[in-house]
Amino acid sequence: MFITPHTCVQIAQSQSSSILGKETIVLNYEIGNYYELNEMGGFIWSLLQANKSMSVSKIKEHLLEEFEVDEALCQQELVLFLENLFHEKLIEAKA
């Protein structure tokens, strides 16, 4: 799936997560893999946990408020991060 600013994403049900220090650990039950998210990835994950479903543009707004990052770079890295989560079946996306 091609993720755009208007794509809405939500956490998949086949996962569990926990916070350890500044990292978030996510386990995919279906395939048995776990993933470590850095501080920014953990921030995105917590947004999705709190809001259930969010557009990519809304996530970007929160990132720009919370972190000092260039807007274009933020958009590029956010889409790449979300595409990776989608590929690993940790999130679901709909246009």
Side-chain angles (χ1 to χ4, degrees):
M1 169 170 220
F2 185 72
I3 294 182
T4 71
H6 303 292
T7 303
C8 287
V9 295
Q10 65 186 35
I11 294 175
Q13 294 200 8
S14 61
Q15 60 72 38
S16 179
S17 62
S18 181
I19 297 172
L20 297 171
K22 291 190 175 190
E23 292 185 338
T24 301
I25 307 299
V26 182
L27 171 66
N28 181 323
Y29 292 116
E30 288 182 0
I31 56 178
N33 288 345
Y34 75 93
Y35 309 85
E36 294 180 35
L37 307 180
N38 64 17
E39 185 178 1
M40 191 174 288
F43 180 79
I44 295 167
W45 194 259
S46 68
L47 286 174
L48 292 174
Q49 286 179 314
N51 295 287
K52 304 302 179 210
S53 179
M54 291 185 78
S55 69
V56 173
S57 61
K58 194 68 170 170
I59 295 170
K60 184 179 86 173
E61 286 177 26
H62 284 281
L63 288 170
L64 292 172
E65 289 174 9
E66 185 72 19
F67 298 94
E68 288 188 34
V69 60
D70 175 72
E71 186 172 353
L73 180 60
C74 180
Q75 177 70 31
Q76 179 183 357
E77 293 293 319
L78 174 59
V79 167
L80 180 62
F81 177 72
L82 293 174
E83 286 175 345
N84 286 335
L85 291 180
F86 180 79
H87 176 71
E88 295 298 324
K89 297 181 170 87
L90 296 173
I91 62 169
E92 299 167 350
K94 57 185 175 188

